[in-house]
Amino acid sequence: MINADKGQFALIAVALASAGALGLALLSQHAFGLLPCDLCYLQRVPHALNFVVGALGAMSAVPPREKRIVLMHCGLLLVLSAGFAGYHVGVEELWWAGPVSCGGSGGALSMEGLAAALTQSARPSCEEAAFRLFGISMAGYNFIASVVLTGFCFWAMRQRTWWGKQ
């Protein structure tokens, strides 16, 4: 594998990893019935953007130097993903309160507030993990994956021979 191909491979790998994370979230929702909360939906956005940006950046028409810049943007999106996931883990572990829209305490309800609450669709609370494997929630695994992928992005960016003459 020549060095220019390594940069393109790095972009493809990051895009496919984000597509895989998004695919697992959708599979757990639609095939296994694990309803996502508001913070779960929020965590999907950086992965969707990362997939699109990474796939477009990996196109052969994009020169190697620009592929490196695209990989930097993918890394920044993954930092955002890790931040959202880390916040969600903190809400699940009750380290801090989640947003009111996510099942947080909203205080006493009036009759108008109760009527409005009855018309809203039932979403699960962000404080309760829908699924845990080895004691780690899906948000926890998203945090771990996002941090690892961020590290990979910034490591790959430092491989100057992959991106042409610098």
Side-chain angles (χ1 to χ4, degrees), residues 29-41:
Q29 177 182 351
H30 296 292
F32 300 115
L34 299 177
L35 296 176
C37 67
D38 289 345
L39 290 177
C40 294
Y41 282 121

Side-chain angles (χ1 to χ4, degrees), residues 32-65:
F32 300 115
L34 299 177
L35 296 176
C37 67
D38 289 345
L39 290 177
C40 294
Y41 282 121
L42 184 63
Q43 291 176 75
R44 294 178 185 187
V45 174
H47 285 293
L49 291 173
N50 201 33
F51 171 68
V52 171
V53 168
L56 290 174
M59 296 175 74
S60 59
V62 179
R65 286 180 63 126

Side-chain angles (χ1 to χ4, degrees), residues 11 18 24 29 32 39 51-53 58 64 66 71 76 86 105 107 122 132 137 147 152-153 159 165:
L11 268 172
S18 280
L24 283 173
Q29 177 182 351
F32 300 115
L39 290 177
F51 171 68
V52 171
V53 168
E66 280 74 21
L71 188 65
L76 294 174
S105 60
R132 287 185 185 266
S137 68
V147 168
F152 173 74
C153 284
Q159 307 305 311
K165 294 184 180 183

Side-chain angles (χ1 to χ4, degrees), residues 23-135:
L24 283 173
L26 291 171
L27 180 71
S28 68
Q29 177 182 351
H30 296 292
F32 300 115
L34 299 177
L35 296 176
C37 67
D38 289 345
L39 290 177
C40 294
Y41 282 121
L42 184 63
Q43 291 176 75
R44 294 178 185 187
V45 174
H47 285 293
L49 291 173
N50 201 33
F51 171 68
V52 171
V53 168
L56 290 174
M59 296 175 74
S60 59
V62 179
R65 286 180 63 126
E66 280 74 21
K67 286 182 191 291
R68 184 176 183 217
I69 293 169
V70 171
L71 188 65
M72 177 192 67
H73 286 93
C74 288
L76 294 174
L77 283 168
L78 289 164
V79 168
L80 187 63
S81 175
F84 289 156
Y87 175 70
H88 193 182
V89 169
V91 171
E92 288 175 343
E93 298 297 327
L94 304 177
W95 295 336
W96 45 73
V100 174
S101 67
C102 219
S105 60
L109 285 178
S110 65
M111 289 305 285
E112 294 82 19
L114 183 58
L118 289 174
T119 61
Q120 294 177 349
S121 64
R123 283 223 176 115
S125 171
C126 296
E127 295 175 353
E128 300 169 17
F131 175 78
R132 287 185 185 266
L133 180 65
F134 307 118

